Amino acid sequence: MVKAKRVVTEKLVADDGVDNCWWWLVQKGTAAVFITVAVFAILVRVAVSLHPYSGAGDPPKFGDYEAQRHWMEITLNLPIREWYRNSTTNDLKYWGLDYPPLTAYQSFIHGLFLRFFHPDSVSLFTSRGHESYLGKLLMRWTVLSSDALIFFPAVLYFIIVYYKQPSKIHKSDIGWHTAMLLLNPCLVLIDHGHFQYNCISLGLTTGAVAAILTGEDLFACVLYCLALNHKQMSAYFAPAFFSHLLGKCLRRKYPLLEVSKLGLVVLGTFAAVWWPYLYSMESILEIILSSNSKTTQVLSRLAPFERGIYEDYVANFWCASSILIKWKRLFSTQSLKILSFTATILTCLPSMAQQIKSPSNRGFLYGLLNSSISFYLFSFQVHEKSILLPLLPASLLAVEEPFLFSWFMQFAMLSMFPLICRDGLILAYLASFALFILLFNAPGRRGIKECNYYFTPRIMRLTLCFCSFILHIVYLVLRPPEKYPFLFEALIMNLCFSQFVLITLCTNFRQWVLDKPVKLEQIEKKLI
């Protein structure tokens, strides 16, 4: 009996794996698939980390690498209540902490690691602008270990949950899907090249998504709140989490009780993270309402509105339209805050309404993509690196929407190209992009076809791909006219923005038509 069962299983795997380069891994099980891809993904990260980082050899403020190192210096050498305060020992004009407390705690833990092996790299004052080979190795190791300990397990959790769902997804896609998640070239370049820790907040978000898919809503709330408390940009996903959980609560026997439980978990998680800053009622009021100009409070650090609605050439609405409409000149910061908030919420509403009306796991994944890309396109003070947030749900949906995923990835990479060039990561960019293309087009993916809802004909898509290719070359080879020094950045920005808008329309449409098959099945059952 066991032998017969094995023969049947092997036949099914073989049938599913015809011309499939992943089949030999799939038959070994999910663990073998994940370990193999994960080891390769770690090697790719190590290779990218050998290249330069943000601000290397560029005084006086250097770049993101120095910002992360400086936060380790501050959190190690100052009391916790002084981490966000401007003082003689903590000059907030020099890379002051501007992320929530969980980032500060992470910096403290990593700082302990650096101090143990290389104390000079995190000593107060004297380590400013510290650059050494050992320091670089240790700093790179902190990112790699964070990735391996948080993002990788979260991806494994999602893969296990996702492929246990009753759907038309084939098991042979496990290897390919894992590769798409772990070898996302944008994430690898930003975290292990440019130098950041997006893997932590994105890993916590991925874990929260997996928990939602299994019905563990309370656990999902804890993980998502931790993501919010690591990077405030995780709020890009808030409309999707809120609308999906609210829709589920409204369909339960005691909706008010269910909402209350979720609310208590959220408050409890936030209170635990913020506890060092909530030691008295005076401190709480000081955080929120303090008018003392000598101290910069936590919340004001997290929302730096004084920088304006945009800084660099980002492929969102405000930057793209600034060529014609000079937003900063025409409107005050307060007016722009209201405008951006209104535009963001309005573009999120269709997706939210669908999930409140008909909450589902698939709809939730589309909702994550729609809400995060709405924030990227219309929210206040967006950075090029923020494209990582909508790319996460696009990666989670890669098997269901492979064409949209690849198209999105192509223009996400292009949108970051000027930043990558500034960091001296061109070789790493080309290699990681080429690797992604090879893996994406690896033979054997089942049930993958081009999206029928994309709004541009094939000839136009080929033209856009050609334009993207030409822009890469032009940016590297030619100098812009003196009169228009940022001409090439503007061309890249507007091309990417146009495609992000089309993707937004497509994914919102896809989310709203999810109910159609269900209704047809119900009609068929009634007829029978």
Side-chain angles (χ1 to χ4, degrees), residues 351-412:
S351 176
M352 293 177 68
Q354 191 276 332
Q355 276 303 280
I356 295 173
K357 172 179 170 285
S358 306
S360 66
N361 286 345
R362 286 186 69 204
F364 173 59
L365 293 177
Y366 280 101
L368 288 168
L369 176 53
N370 289 324
S371 70
S372 56
I373 201 168
S374 294
F375 269 77
Y376 178 85
L377 291 175
F378 294 102
S379 62
F380 200 98
Q381 190 57 228
V382 174
H383 197 278
E384 300 105 309
K385 299 184 287 285
S386 300
I387 197 62
L388 292 175
L389 286 107
L391 266 180
L392 176 65
S395 303
L396 300 179
L397 282 165
V399 172
E400 295 191 43
E401 295 286 0
F403 174 75
L404 281 177
F405 168 61
S406 65
W407 195 254
F408 193 11
M409 182 67 75
Q410 175 184 337
F411 288 97

Side-chain angles (χ1 to χ4, degrees), residues 470-492:
I470 293 298
L471 280 173
H472 280 91
I473 296 175
V474 166
Y475 193 84
L476 290 174
V477 175
L478 300 180
R479 288 186 179 182
E482 290 186 10
K483 189 176 181 181
Y484 304 104
F486 300 106
L487 174 64
F488 299 152
E489 284 91 345
L491 291 173
I492 290 172

Side-chain angles (χ1 to χ4, degrees), residues 85-130:
R85 290 178 181 273
N86 193 42
S87 64
T88 54
T89 53
N90 185 19
D91 181 8
L92 294 181
K93 292 180 180 179
Y94 184 82
W95 296 120
L97 264 166
D98 54 7
Y99 286 121
L102 201 59
T103 289
Y105 307 149
Q106 164 232 312
S107 297
F108 175 76
I109 293 169
H110 287 156
L112 291 173
F113 173 74
L114 260 71
R115 187 168 64 182
F116 182 81
F117 290 100
H118 193 20
D120 292 344
S121 65
V122 285
S123 60
L124 192 62
F125 299 129
T126 58
S127 63
R128 297 281 174 94
H130 178 88

Side-chain angles (χ1 to χ4, degrees), residues 257-277:
L257 176 62
E258 297 297 329
V259 171
S260 299
K261 286 195 296 185
L262 294 174
L264 288 173
V265 168
V266 170
L267 290 174
T269 306
F270 269 83
V273 174
W274 287 73
W275 186 254
Y277 303 96

Side-chain angles (χ1 to χ4, degrees), residues 159-190:
I159 289 293
I160 291 171
V161 168
Y162 187 72
Y163 285 90
K164 280 187 176 179
Q165 302 291 315
S167 66
K168 298 177 181 179
I169 295 169
H170 293 265
K171 298 293 183 183
S172 59
D173 290 326
I174 291 176
W176 181 83
H177 201 178
T178 304
M180 293 300 99
L181 286 162
L182 294 184
L183 289 161
N184 179 332
C186 289
L187 178 59
V188 173
L189 286 168
I190 292 299

